[in-house]
Amino acid sequence: DGGITQSPKYLFRKEGQNVTLSCEQNLNHDAMYWYRQDPGQGLRLIYYSQIVNDFQKGDIAEGYSVSREKKESFPLTVTSAQKNPTAFYLCASSSVGRVEEKLFFGSGTQLSVL
Amino acid sequence: AQKVTQAQTEISVVEKEDVTLDCVYETRDTTYYLFWYKQPPSGELVFLIRRNSFDEQNEISGRYSWNFQKSTSSFNFTITASQVVDSAVYFCALTPHNDMRFGAGTRLTVKP
């Protein structure tokens, strides 16, 4: 079945540590996105990529980094510069990244700070 | 500014009741798209419907219906004869540009 796979489902970060969240899709979609979800705040865009080897910052990119070396993969690194990383992280994709396209989502990664 | 407001944080109903989830949006663009997504306890968001700014026709899909009114900048979602499986967080979203703007979500609990 086609879809988006996020791993791990739960992740714990120690002080000063970088952690990487995995996102893989087999939908052959060009565009991929990372969102952060905090209770009562909806989803906020961290980064998005519409093509391999290119990505743009969203509203809350500080403290995060991404790469897009392969079409099917868009990993997100939460760096030590992100002082409040505890949140639910959702990866999404769309066919070519046009505004009218619906997004397909993974099942998310819950990141917590130890 | 592009903004989506879902004023209802939580709604609780008893099974078979009808329920309406409100969504009000702000945008200066004349061309835009509105969406509703459902987030069940499993976590992933599931697409429900999309509307473009030039199509104000209301839509019905089974027990779900949507009322789009540009005059009041609203895109409300009604579930008729609610069921326990409808319990989830529902998000309204707006895309005037490349990125999608989400509301804060409404948590719907349907009790048996």
Side-chain angles (χ1 to χ4, degrees), chain B residues 2-19:
Chain B
Q2 327 290 346
K3 185 180 176 181
V4 177
T5 301
Q6 295 181 254
Q8 304 151 308
T9 305
E10 295 191 32
I11 300 176
S12 180
V13 299
V14 177
E15 205 169 22
K16 297 184 182 177
E17 282 186 34
D18 298 348
V19 58

mmCIF file of all heavy atoms in Angstrom, chain B residues 2-19:
data_model
loop_
_atom_site.group_PDB
_atom_site.id
_atom_site.type_symbol
_atom_site.label_atom_id
_atom_site.label_comp_id
_atom_site.label_asym_id
_atom_site.label_seq_id
_atom_site.Cartn_x
_atom_site.Cartn_y
_atom_site.Cartn_z
ATOM 1 N N GLN B 2 -2.968 35.701 6.533
ATOM 2 C CA GLN B 2 -3.721 34.483 6.271
ATOM 3 C C GLN B 2 -3.962 33.800 7.611
ATOM 4 O O GLN B 2 -3.017 33.496 8.320
ATOM 5 C CB GLN B 2 -2.929 33.550 5.354
ATOM 6 C CG GLN B 2 -2.047 34.243 4.336
ATOM 7 C CD GLN B 2 -2.847 34.940 3.264
ATOM 8 O OE1 GLN B 2 -4.038 34.707 3.122
ATOM 9 N NE2 GLN B 2 -2.210 35.802 2.513
ATOM 10 N N LYS B 3 -5.204 33.561 7.945
ATOM 11 C CA LYS B 3 -5.501 33.027 9.271
ATOM 12 C C LYS B 3 -6.769 32.185 9.242
ATOM 13 O O LYS B 3 -7.701 32.483 8.496
ATOM 14 C CB LYS B 3 -5.693 34.191 10.250
ATOM 15 C CG LYS B 3 -5.890 33.791 11.694
ATOM 16 C CD LYS B 3 -6.057 35.043 12.554
ATOM 17 C CE LYS B 3 -6.344 34.678 13.998
ATOM 18 N NZ LYS B 3 -6.541 35.891 14.825
ATOM 19 N N VAL B 4 -6.762 31.128 10.027
ATOM 20 C CA VAL B 4 -7.938 30.272 10.161
ATOM 21 C C VAL B 4 -8.287 30.192 11.643
ATOM 22 O O VAL B 4 -7.436 29.889 12.469
ATOM 23 C CB VAL B 4 -7.671 28.864 9.607
ATOM 24 C CG1 VAL B 4 -8.883 27.969 9.835
ATOM 25 C CG2 VAL B 4 -7.315 28.925 8.129
ATOM 26 N N THR B 5 -9.538 30.449 11.966
ATOM 27 C CA THR B 5 -9.993 30.420 13.349
ATOM 28 C C THR B 5 -11.059 29.349 13.551
ATOM 29 O O THR B 5 -12.090 29.343 12.866
ATOM 30 C CB THR B 5 -10.564 31.783 13.775
ATOM 31 O OG1 THR B 5 -9.559 32.784 13.618
ATOM 32 C CG2 THR B 5 -11.006 31.750 15.232
ATOM 33 N N GLN B 6 -10.779 28.453 14.457
ATOM 34 C CA GLN B 6 -11.764 27.455 14.886
ATOM 35 C C GLN B 6 -12.037 27.737 16.362
ATOM 36 O O GLN B 6 -11.272 27.332 17.226
ATOM 37 C CB GLN B 6 -11.231 26.035 14.680
ATOM 38 C CG GLN B 6 -11.007 25.688 13.219
ATOM 39 C CD GLN B 6 -10.504 24.269 13.050
ATOM 40 O OE1 GLN B 6 -9.327 24.062 12.762
ATOM 41 N NE2 GLN B 6 -11.390 23.293 13.200
ATOM 42 N N ALA B 7 -13.088 28.461 16.606
ATOM 43 C CA ALA B 7 -13.346 28.967 17.950
ATOM 44 C C ALA B 7 -13.730 27.873 18.947
ATOM 45 O O ALA B 7 -13.518 28.001 20.147
ATOM 46 C CB ALA B 7 -14.439 30.029 17.906
ATOM 47 N N GLN B 8 -14.267 26.780 18.446
ATOM 48 C CA GLN B 8 -14.688 25.684 19.336
ATOM 49 C C GLN B 8 -13.492 24.779 19.616
ATOM 50 O O GLN B 8 -13.030 24.073 18.738
ATOM 51 C CB GLN B 8 -15.807 24.872 18.681
ATOM 52 C CG GLN B 8 -17.015 25.676 18.279
ATOM 53 C CD GLN B 8 -17.709 25.045 17.073
ATOM 54 O OE1 GLN B 8 -17.077 24.781 16.068
ATOM 55 N NE2 GLN B 8 -19.002 24.818 17.182
ATOM 56 N N THR B 9 -13.019 24.804 20.837
ATOM 57 C CA THR B 9 -11.872 23.969 21.182
ATOM 58 C C THR B 9 -12.297 22.507 21.337
ATOM 59 O O THR B 9 -11.636 21.603 20.838
ATOM 60 C CB THR B 9 -11.244 24.455 22.496
ATOM 61 O OG1 THR B 9 -10.917 25.831 22.362
ATOM 62 C CG2 THR B 9 -10.002 23.662 22.829
ATOM 63 N N GLU B 10 -13.392 22.307 22.056
ATOM 64 C CA GLU B 10 -13.888 20.948 22.283
ATOM 65 C C GLU B 10 -15.406 20.950 22.214
ATOM 66 O O GLU B 10 -16.062 21.870 22.665
ATOM 67 C CB GLU B 10 -13.443 20.422 23.657
ATOM 68 C CG GLU B 10 -11.960 20.240 23.809
ATOM 69 C CD GLU B 10 -11.602 19.476 25.079
ATOM 70 O OE1 GLU B 10 -12.387 18.622 25.501
ATOM 71 O OE2 GLU B 10 -10.531 19.749 25.635
ATOM 72 N N ILE B 11 -15.939 19.879 21.624
ATOM 73 C CA ILE B 11 -17.388 19.680 21.565
ATOM 74 C C ILE B 11 -17.678 18.248 21.980
ATOM 75 O O ILE B 11 -16.985 17.328 21.542
ATOM 76 C CB ILE B 11 -17.945 19.914 20.151
ATOM 77 C CG1 ILE B 11 -17.666 21.344 19.677
ATOM 78 C CG2 ILE B 11 -19.443 19.623 20.121
ATOM 79 C CD1 ILE B 11 -18.110 21.589 18.241
ATOM 80 N N SER B 12 -18.699 18.091 22.796
ATOM 81 C CA SER B 12 -19.103 16.757 23.203
ATOM 82 C C SER B 12 -20.588 16.581 22.905
ATOM 83 O O SER B 12 -21.399 17.436 23.270
ATOM 84 C CB SER B 12 -18.836 16.538 24.700
ATOM 85 O OG SER B 12 -19.222 15.236 25.088
ATOM 86 N N VAL B 13 -20.929 15.509 22.220
ATOM 87 C CA VAL B 13 -22.321 15.231 21.879
ATOM 88 C C VAL B 13 -22.617 13.772 22.181
ATOM 89 O O VAL B 13 -21.706 12.962 22.379
ATOM 90 C CB VAL B 13 -22.623 15.528 20.396
ATOM 91 C CG1 VAL B 13 -22.383 16.991 20.081
ATOM 92 C CG2 VAL B 13 -21.814 14.627 19.480
ATOM 93 N N VAL B 14 -23.890 13.464 22.201
ATOM 94 C CA VAL B 14 -24.322 12.081 22.364
ATOM 95 C C VAL B 14 -24.609 11.519 20.981
ATOM 96 O O VAL B 14 -25.065 12.233 20.077
ATOM 97 C CB VAL B 14 -25.567 11.996 23.258
ATOM 98 C CG1 VAL B 14 -26.062 10.564 23.363
ATOM 99 C CG2 VAL B 14 -25.261 12.551 24.640
ATOM 100 N N GLU B 15 -24.309 10.262 20.810
ATOM 101 C CA GLU B 15 -24.512 9.602 19.517
ATOM 102 C C GLU B 15 -25.896 9.926 18.944
ATOM 103 O O GLU B 15 -26.878 10.002 19.667
ATOM 104 C CB GLU B 15 -24.360 8.084 19.698
ATOM 105 C CG GLU B 15 -23.966 7.352 18.445
ATOM 106 C CD GLU B 15 -23.572 5.907 18.732
ATOM 107 O OE1 GLU B 15 -23.977 5.370 19.773
ATOM 108 O OE2 GLU B 15 -22.852 5.335 17.908
ATOM 109 N N LYS B 16 -25.918 10.134 17.628
ATOM 110 C CA LYS B 16 -27.096 10.445 16.823
ATOM 111 C C LYS B 16 -27.452 11.921 16.830
ATOM 112 O O LYS B 16 -28.350 12.328 16.079
ATOM 113 C CB LYS B 16 -28.307 9.608 17.237
ATOM 114 C CG LYS B 16 -28.106 8.107 17.024
ATOM 115 C CD LYS B 16 -29.353 7.315 17.344
ATOM 116 C CE LYS B 16 -29.082 5.810 17.170
ATOM 117 N NZ LYS B 16 -30.250 4.988 17.534
ATOM 118 N N GLU B 17 -26.780 12.712 17.649
ATOM 119 C CA GLU B 17 -27.000 14.157 17.579
ATOM 120 C C GLU B 17 -26.304 14.722 16.347
ATOM 121 O O GLU B 17 -25.304 14.173 15.874
ATOM 122 C CB GLU B 17 -26.418 14.851 18.822
ATOM 123 C CG GLU B 17 -27.241 14.746 20.071
ATOM 124 C CD GLU B 17 -26.654 15.590 21.184
ATOM 125 O OE1 GLU B 17 -26.089 16.661 20.905
ATOM 126 O OE2 GLU B 17 -26.756 15.167 22.339
ATOM 127 N N ASP B 18 -26.822 15.832 15.818
ATOM 128 C CA ASP B 18 -26.137 16.558 14.762
ATOM 129 C C ASP B 18 -25.164 17.543 15.421
ATOM 130 O O ASP B 18 -25.428 18.080 16.506
ATOM 131 C CB ASP B 18 -27.129 17.332 13.909
ATOM 132 C CG ASP B 18 -28.139 16.435 13.198
ATOM 133 O OD1 ASP B 18 -27.928 15.189 13.182
ATOM 134 O OD2 ASP B 18 -29.127 16.964 12.664
ATOM 135 N N VAL B 19 -24.033 17.789 14.743
ATOM 136 C CA VAL B 19 -23.052 18.719 15.296
ATOM 137 C C VAL B 19 -22.424 19.525 14.166
ATOM 138 O O VAL B 19 -22.167 18.993 13.079
ATOM 139 C CB VAL B 19 -21.975 17.961 16.105
ATOM 140 C CG1 VAL B 19 -21.261 16.919 15.252
ATOM 141 C CG2 VAL B 19 -20.979 18.914 16.738
#
